[in-house]
Structures are given as structure tokens and as C-alpha cells.
Amino acid sequence: MITAWAIALAVAAATVALPSALLVRSRRRAIAPTRTGSGTPGLLEVACLTGGPLRVAETVITVMDDDGRITATTDGLIKVLSPVTYDPVERALLKCCGDRWFCTMRGARMALLRAPAVRDIQSALVSGGLLAPPGPDAAGRRAERLHTAGLTAAALMASALLLATRTYPVPCALLACVACGVALRLAVRVRWSRATPAGRRAARAEHPCGAPGKVALEGPSALPDSVLRDQLLRAAKPERASESSGNGGGGSTNGYGAMCAFPTCSSHGPACGSHSGYGGGCGGGF
């Protein structure tokens, strides 16, 4: 009996304990900050932490609508009233409008979802340990496969011992180790591309004010009844099959360079400038 318990202990250590330790290590490394001193998250960072890149798009649209630089119309369009931008995400929004100075709300949301400026926000949050990466790295995937294989091997060995020896203590102890391994995997699971515990704490600590703050924290439904609220909520719904796929926007949406797609904006024009190393952009309000 002592030999059986020794074998069970060795099997549990090799198939459950060691793979579980490697899994916990890989999960902690995935959400650990790779740099420090990032400071408190700003408005768009809070939006990304609470609702992802689409919430960032909704927030920047609300920011520019709130101060009168764009306006939302009842027919689902965003119209530019003043081509002034203060950050790369706002420049990406104006880029969607093209030289006709308007685009659809749905097209703007989807274009901003793929904008490099929004991806830069996500990357910065991942680097700061506030946002989980899109998925496990190679080491993390190996740890997951090893953990799954170990739990499976331990469960099969417990079943084989139970059938072969007709004794219960050793197989049941192995199965208990397997159950602990499964519980551990659920406990340390990472919600990829979601806010980490540190990110959720940081987002709760921030209290951005005004309509943009409400959208960043709670989404467009937190806005009072308005054209902007109705159009943001409408754009968030899945597009009907009967709707034309060509309703993506009123201007050029291919690429997100540092230049805006306005006829009055060029690399040497007076309405262009640079801000915090982001290259040229429309507007002089930097």
C-alpha cells in the first residue's frame, strides 16, 4: 500500500502539480506590467478598459460632438463642423470623413476599431499591465497544453488503478488532485483582451466628467436622449442583411497616415501641425 501511495504521489506531482505551477507562472507573466510609470489612465484609456476599442470610438465621437467639432444627424451621418484635432484618435475619425467632411456613424466606428491610434492605446495598456494581451504567447500555450495533458494522464491512471485494483483510496486521491488542477485552471484564467484586475481598479478610480465620461464608463446608453445617443446605439446594432455594404462612409477610409484627408490640409499647409511626436494632423488646437 505504501508503494501505491508513493506512485500516486509521484504521478500527482508530475502530471498535476508541476504543470499547474508552470500554468500559474505563465498566466501571471501575461498580465504583469512590462514597464512602470505609465500614470493614471486618461479618458480614452478608461474607455478601452471598460468597453474595448469600440467604446474608444464611441467616446471620441462623443468628445468631438460635445465641443461642437462634429455633429450627428438623424440619418446616421457624422458631419464635420470644425476640422480641429487634439490626438491621433481624433485625427483617425476625421480621416474617415474624407474630403467630403462626412461619413456614416457605423463606418466611423468600424474604421476606428482598426485604426493604429486605437491599437496604440491597447498596446500601452498591455505594457502597463492594465489590459490582458489578445492571447497567450508561445510559452503560455505550451503551459496550457502541458496542463491539459497532465490532468488527462492523471485521470486515466486513476481510472486504470480503480479498475485494476478495486481499491479506492489511491485512485480517489488522484482524482482529487485532478479536480484541484481543474479548479486552479479556472481560478487563474485570463480574460484575453479584457482589463486585468489592476486595470479594473484603475478604471474604477477614475471619474471622467461630462457626456464623454459617461460614454467611456457606461456606454452610449448613459447619455440623455439625443440624436447622438440614438445614432450611437443604432450603429452598435448588427447591420441588417438588406442594408448595402457600401454604406461604410462618406470618404476615404483606407489607411491611417499622419495626414488628414481634407483638401485644405497638406504636409506644408498652415492648418497642419504636429503634436507629441505624432506627425502632421489637421487643426491648430494642439
Side-chain angles (χ1 to χ4, degrees):
M1 190 66 178
I2 295 178
T3 303
W5 276 107
I7 293 174
L9 184 61
V11 170
T15 61
V16 179
L18 180 59
S20 295
L22 293 175
L23 180 68
V24 171
R25 181 184 176 186
S26 69
R27 295 289 171 88
R28 286 184 174 176
R29 188 177 62 248
I31 61 175
T34 58
R35 61 180 176 84
T36 57
S38 57
T40 57
L43 177 66
L44 297 184
E45 285 80 9
V46 170
C48 192
L49 290 171
T50 56
L54 283 177
R55 182 69 60 80
V56 175
E58 293 165 345
T59 301
V60 76
I61 290 171
T62 305
V63 168
M64 297 187 71
D65 180 89
D66 190 56
D67 60 16
R69 287 177 285 159
I70 64 171
T71 186
T73 66
T74 55
D75 53 354
L77 295 179
I78 293 174
K79 292 187 176 181
V80 178
L81 302 181
S82 175
V84 178
T85 61
Y86 299 102
D87 61 55
V89 183
E90 292 183 356
R91 286 197 284 276
L93 175 57
L94 292 193
K95 177 81 171 177
C96 302
C97 298
D99 55 8
R100 289 185 290 179
W101 298 57
F102 72 88
C103 63
T104 65
M105 183 73 72
R106 187 185 300 275
R109 290 176 79 255
M110 298 311 297
L112 287 174
L113 179 65
R114 300 183 294 270
V118 176
R119 291 199 298 267
D120 288 344
I121 292 175
Q122 293 177 288
S123 298
L125 292 173
V126 170
S127 297
L130 301 181
L131 188 70
D137 57 11
R141 289 191 293 271
R142 286 195 298 269
E144 289 178 351
R145 289 194 295 267
L146 181 62
H147 191 254
T148 300
L151 295 181
T152 303
L156 291 175
M157 183 166 289
S159 301
L161 286 173
L162 185 62
L163 293 174
T165 63
R166 300 291 181 180
T167 58
Y168 295 98
V170 173
C172 288
L174 277 177
L175 291 176
C177 290
V178 171
C180 290
V182 172
L184 177 70
R185 184 155 186 170
L186 294 175
V188 302
R189 70 189 186 278
V190 173
R191 301 176 68 189
W192 305 112
S193 296
R194 301 292 183 90
T196 63
R200 290 194 291 272
R201 289 193 299 270
R204 286 195 299 267
E206 296 300 313
H207 302 284
C209 59
K214 291 180 179 179
V215 173
L217 291 172
E218 305 174 46
S221 59
L223 291 173
D225 288 337
S226 62
V227 173
L228 178 63
R229 176 184 183 273
D230 293 342
Q231 294 306 317
L232 283 173
L233 292 175
R234 181 180 177 184
K237 295 178 180 178
E239 189 172 11
R240 296 193 302 269
S242 59
E243 293 183 11
S244 170
S245 60
N247 289 339
S252 172
T253 59
N254 54 332
Y256 292 90
M259 308 248 324
C260 295
F262 292 97
T264 58
C265 183
S266 66
S267 59
H268 302 288
C272 288
S274 61
H275 179 55
S276 301
Y278 286 109
C282 278
F286 296 99

